Amino acid sequence: MNNVFVYCEIEGTTVKDVSLELLSKGRKLADTLGVQLECICAASGIDGIEKQVFPYGVDKVHVFDAEGLFPYTTNPHASLVINLFKEEQPQICLMGATVIGRDLGPRISAATHSGLTADCTELEIDSFEMSIGGEKKFYENQLCQIRPAFGGNIVATIVNPEHRPQMATVREGVMKKEIRDPNYKGEVVKHDVAKYVPEAEYVVKVLERHVEAAKNNLKSAPIVVAGGYGMGSKENFDMLFELAKELHGEVGASRAAIDAGFVADHDRQIGQTGLTVRPKVYIACGISGQIQHIAGMQDSGIIISVNNDPDAPINAIADYVINGNVEEVVPKLIKYYKANNK
């Protein structure tokens, strides 16, 4: 009762990274609230799945193992989560802002009459006073769900003080994956799936699946060279691929550069509606630094900005700023590293 829950996405028999990241964040939230962290693992043939999540500080694992639960389909998973929540009454539920999370989250939210905040960039516990219906009330230990709003012009803090669970989805890479204790041990509850999912919910059958691996390695690249609309053209953007090759890094892009057609691969987009990266070095070329983009790279080790606008917002968070045109600066960087790389 009143605990923090994380819905774990599973591919085959492996818990996805986005869920492990949320378990890390969920552990911190549960510690602040003084409650337990619980998670839901639903798939087929997942005996021993708890070994993957216990190191992240999970106190209780709810296992639903049945033939019809993998691959994911909407009705069975929605039914088991909703019926489990009726019993457990969690105060917080976290899910990945993925295809599955965006499908499942709203259904659970609607069924439990609770609020859901999508694509959060931060989650915090706080107490506050607010007026509802003309009456001031004090709310203690509430989940503050933080995300850019109104096109990224403001950062909004959204709360759901009157209804439970408080629900939020978070994109992969936004939260840091942190092992609490490799030897952490919790409780495993293996549920009778039939009690939670009526046979009629298995009406949809997946006949064939096609899973494509990512074409790049942006998430784990130690060096990322990213370009924005200020690159000016696809031809100029090609210089970034040459620079990244010399640095043994990967190329990323802002949404504006993607929309302008400077780079064709949408999976290179960094920011609120793309990937979140934490490289050791992030080189931003021709990127103004709108809040949506900063949300996806602000935790980089060293940030280098190449921009002809000295007042560009990204310069405020950059460790080093090269004030100049990318057409002049980037070729010089390429020439230098070609001459000095061994």
Side-chain angles (χ1 to χ4, degrees):
M1 295 286 286
N2 226 29
N3 290 329
V4 176
F5 270 69
V6 173
Y7 171 84
C8 291
E9 292 187 27
I10 298 170
E11 180 57 45
T13 57
T14 304
V15 179
K16 288 187 176 181
D17 279 353
V18 65
S19 300
L20 300 178
E21 293 163 5
L22 290 177
L23 289 174
S24 302
K25 185 62 181 181
R27 181 68 268 170
K28 293 176 182 177
L29 297 175
D31 287 345
T32 302
L33 294 167
V35 299
Q36 289 194 331
L37 172 64
E38 304 186 31
C39 73
I40 301 168
C41 294
S44 176
I46 53 172
D47 189 40
I49 194 83
E50 65 275 3
K51 295 173 186 174
Q52 298 181 40
V53 298
F54 276 156
Y56 295 90
V58 178
D59 297 302
K60 184 185 287 188
V61 183
H62 297 270
V63 178
F64 294 84
D65 192 339
E67 192 65 36
L69 295 179
F70 184 84
Y72 169 89
T73 53
T74 304
N75 289 359
H77 283 254
S79 180
L80 70 85
V81 174
I82 290 165
N83 288 323
L84 179 66
F85 280 5
K86 287 177 182 176
E87 296 175 358
E88 299 294 331
Q89 300 292 309
Q91 63 171 309
I92 291 172
C93 172
L94 306 180
M95 310 179 78
T98 61
V99 172
I100 290 175
R102 290 191 177 101
D103 176 66
L104 185 60
R107 294 171 186 272
I108 298 167
S109 175
T112 56
H113 304 287
S114 61
L116 168 65
T117 304
D119 294 329
C120 294
T121 54
E122 187 51 79
L123 300 169
E124 298 174 354
I125 302 297
D126 200 2
S127 301
F128 52 84
E129 186 177 72
M130 66 184 296
S131 181
I132 296 181
E135 180 185 352
K136 277 193 174 181
K137 288 186 179 180
F138 182 76
Y139 295 96
E140 190 174 4
N141 291 333
Q142 303 292 308
L143 179 66
C144 294
Q145 303 144 69
I146 300 165
R147 57 154 297 158
F150 294 106
N153 293 313
I154 66 167
V155 176
T157 299
I158 301 169
V159 293
N160 180 23
E162 296 287 341
H163 300 278
R164 294 293 182 270
Q166 302 164 93
M167 295 185 64
T169 65
V170 181
R171 284 175 177 266
E172 184 175 357
V174 171
M175 302 301 172
K176 197 171 182 181
K177 186 169 67 171
E178 297 175 314
I179 289 178
R180 169 57 65 92
D181 178 356
N183 300 313
Y184 200 94
K185 289 289 181 280
E187 179 186 355
V188 180
V189 180
K190 296 186 177 181
H191 293 278
D192 180 359
V193 177
K195 290 182 180 178
Y196 295 84
V197 185
E199 193 62 35
E201 300 292 5
Y202 295 104
V203 64
V204 175
K205 304 289 184 186
V206 177
L207 301 180
E208 185 180 342
R209 294 176 77 233
H210 177 68
V211 181
E212 253 187 45
K215 296 175 183 176
N216 58 65
N217 194 28
L218 263 174
K219 269 189 67 185
S220 56
I223 298 174
V224 172
V225 181
Y229 189 75
M231 290 304 297
S233 67
K234 183 181 183 300
E235 289 69 33
N236 285 344
F237 215 96
D238 288 341
M239 294 190 298
L240 301 187
F241 284 93
E242 191 176 351
L243 177 59
K245 183 181 177 182
E246 293 300 325
L247 297 173
H248 306 289
E250 284 281 359
V251 175
S254 69
R255 180 171 180 173
I258 295 280
D259 290 345
F262 295 166
V263 59
D265 298 336
H266 284 259
D267 56 356
R268 292 190 183 275
Q269 183 179 323
I270 294 170
Q272 170 71 14
T273 53
L275 294 172
T276 297
V277 295
R278 294 184 179 87
K280 293 178 181 177
V281 179
Y282 188 90
I283 304 173
C285 302
I287 294 175
S288 62
Q290 295 302 312
I291 192 170
Q292 300 100 316
H293 185 77
I294 288 175
M297 46 65 70
Q298 61 189 344
D299 291 331
S300 302
I302 295 173
I303 299 171
I304 301 169
S305 171
V306 181
N307 207 298
N308 60 6
D309 179 6
D311 298 319
I314 198 163
N315 293 349
I317 67 164
D319 298 285
Y320 302 96
V321 177
I322 302 174
N323 190 222
N325 292 322
V326 289
E327 297 95 330
E328 298 172 2
V329 176
V330 174
K332 289 179 181 179
L333 291 173
I334 294 170
K335 183 179 179 181
Y336 175 84
Y337 284 110
K338 275 186 175 179
N340 292 276
N341 268 354
K342 293 182 181 179

